[in-house]
């Protein structure tokens, strides 16, 4: 794996939704780095990519309420344990579960294993609420996929909050998830 500054020079064979991510980042004047790799659909695969990017790829979970009326994209540190009841108390909402791949495709235009904050650019009607564990914001950079899990991006956290989110008409709800989870 190599680290590249900006979009790929050759876009042949890349999906349109990936190219749309680069188009938006360039339009917004955001600085970013990219690496291409085999499909990375779990946090273990992302650990190798983290080393190349020089930052950590966030764990991104696509969640919904039991009645499937509210949807959430949760960004949190990859190695932090997750308990739905602890998040539900902070939002506040009814107990959460993982949303189906059908809703992920419909609202974010992404497949399981490719969940990313970049998918919010496809959520034109704001069906999905972004939720970020404050710990993610402590780092200068964050890592994510460009709506496809065969590439990864290193983005400036401040630019994501101040440029990307306003451009895609989403706001982040901040939470503090614990490292130690009592059963």
């Amino acid at each position: 794996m190599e680290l590249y500054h900006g979009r790929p020079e050759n876009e042949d064979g890349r999906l349109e939704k990936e190219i749309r991510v680069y188009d938006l980042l360039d339009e917004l004047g955001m600085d970013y780095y990219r690496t291409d790799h085999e499909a990375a659909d779990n946090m273990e695969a992302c650990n190798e990519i983290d080393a190349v990017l020089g930052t950590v790829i966030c764990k991104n979970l696509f969640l919904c309420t039991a009645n499937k009326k509210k949807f959430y994209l949760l960004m949190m540190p990859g190695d932090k344990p997750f308990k739905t009841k602890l998040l539900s108390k902070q939002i506040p909402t009814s107990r959460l579960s993982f949303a189906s791949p059908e809703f992920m495709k419909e609202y974010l235009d992404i497949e399981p294993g490719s969940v990313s904050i970049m998918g919010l650019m496809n959520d034109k009607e704001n069906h999905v609420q972004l939720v970020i564990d404050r710990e993610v914001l402590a780092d200068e950079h964050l890592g994510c996929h460009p709506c496809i899990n065969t590439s990864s991006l290193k983005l400036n956290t401040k630019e994501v909050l101040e440029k990307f989110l306003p451009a895609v008409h989403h706001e982040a709800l901040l939470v503090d998830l614990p490292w130690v989870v009592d059963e």
Side-chain angles (χ1 to χ4, degrees):
M1 283 183 280
E2 288 185 50
L3 190 63
Y4 301 96
H5 189 229
R7 72 187 306 129
E9 288 182 24
N10 182 352
E11 297 176 355
D12 292 345
R14 296 191 184 260
L15 297 178
E16 180 184 327
K17 60 185 165 186
E18 179 185 3
I19 301 306
R20 286 195 318 259
V21 170
Y22 304 134
D23 289 345
L24 179 59
L25 295 176
D26 291 346
E27 179 184 319
L28 296 173
M30 292 178 63
D31 190 38
Y32 60 97
Y33 291 85
R34 172 189 53 81
T35 188
D36 300 320
H37 46 75
E38 295 296 319
D41 56 3
N42 59 57
M43 290 312 299
E44 291 75 29
C46 291
N47 289 338
E48 290 180 45
I49 299 162
D50 292 348
V52 174
L53 289 176
T55 194
V56 177
I57 295 177
C58 301
K59 183 186 298 184
N60 292 273
L61 304 176
F62 187 54
L63 307 164
C64 68
T65 54
N67 64 5
K68 297 177 180 52
K69 297 290 184 199
K70 292 185 179 180
F71 295 85
Y72 301 90
L73 174 60
L74 172 63
M75 294 175 65
M76 62 184 289
D79 53 350
K80 191 180 250 192
F82 173 67
K83 292 285 186 183
T84 58
K85 68 180 179 179
L86 298 175
L87 176 61
S88 296
K89 289 178 186 176
Q90 290 188 52
I91 296 183
T93 189
S94 62
R95 193 163 178 108
L96 298 167
S97 62
F98 291 97
S100 72
E102 292 78 22
F103 284 115
M104 190 183 300
K105 177 72 175 158
E106 180 180 349
Y107 296 145
L108 301 177
D109 191 21
I110 48 182
E111 308 293 332
S114 299
V115 181
S116 163
I117 189 172
M118 294 293 111
L120 293 176
M121 68 183 283
N122 301 313
D123 182 28
K124 305 285 188 206
E125 296 178 13
N126 288 73
H127 292 283
V128 180
Q129 170 66 58
L130 176 62
V131 180
I132 304 176
D133 184 326
R134 283 184 210 278
E135 196 168 326
V136 170
L137 304 180
D139 291 329
E140 182 180 354
H141 295 98
L142 62 85
C144 67
H145 296 307
C147 295
I148 188 74
N149 66 0
T150 53
S151 291
S152 295
L153 302 174
K154 176 181 180 177
L155 301 164
N156 179 285
T157 304
K158 186 175 179 182
E159 284 190 339
V160 170
L161 296 174
E162 296 177 3
K163 291 182 177 183
F164 177 77
L165 289 179
V168 298
H169 310 289
H170 281 76
E171 292 182 12
L173 180 61
L174 302 180
V175 296
D176 294 293
L177 298 174
W179 275 96
V180 177
V181 180
D182 298 328
E183 290 301 322

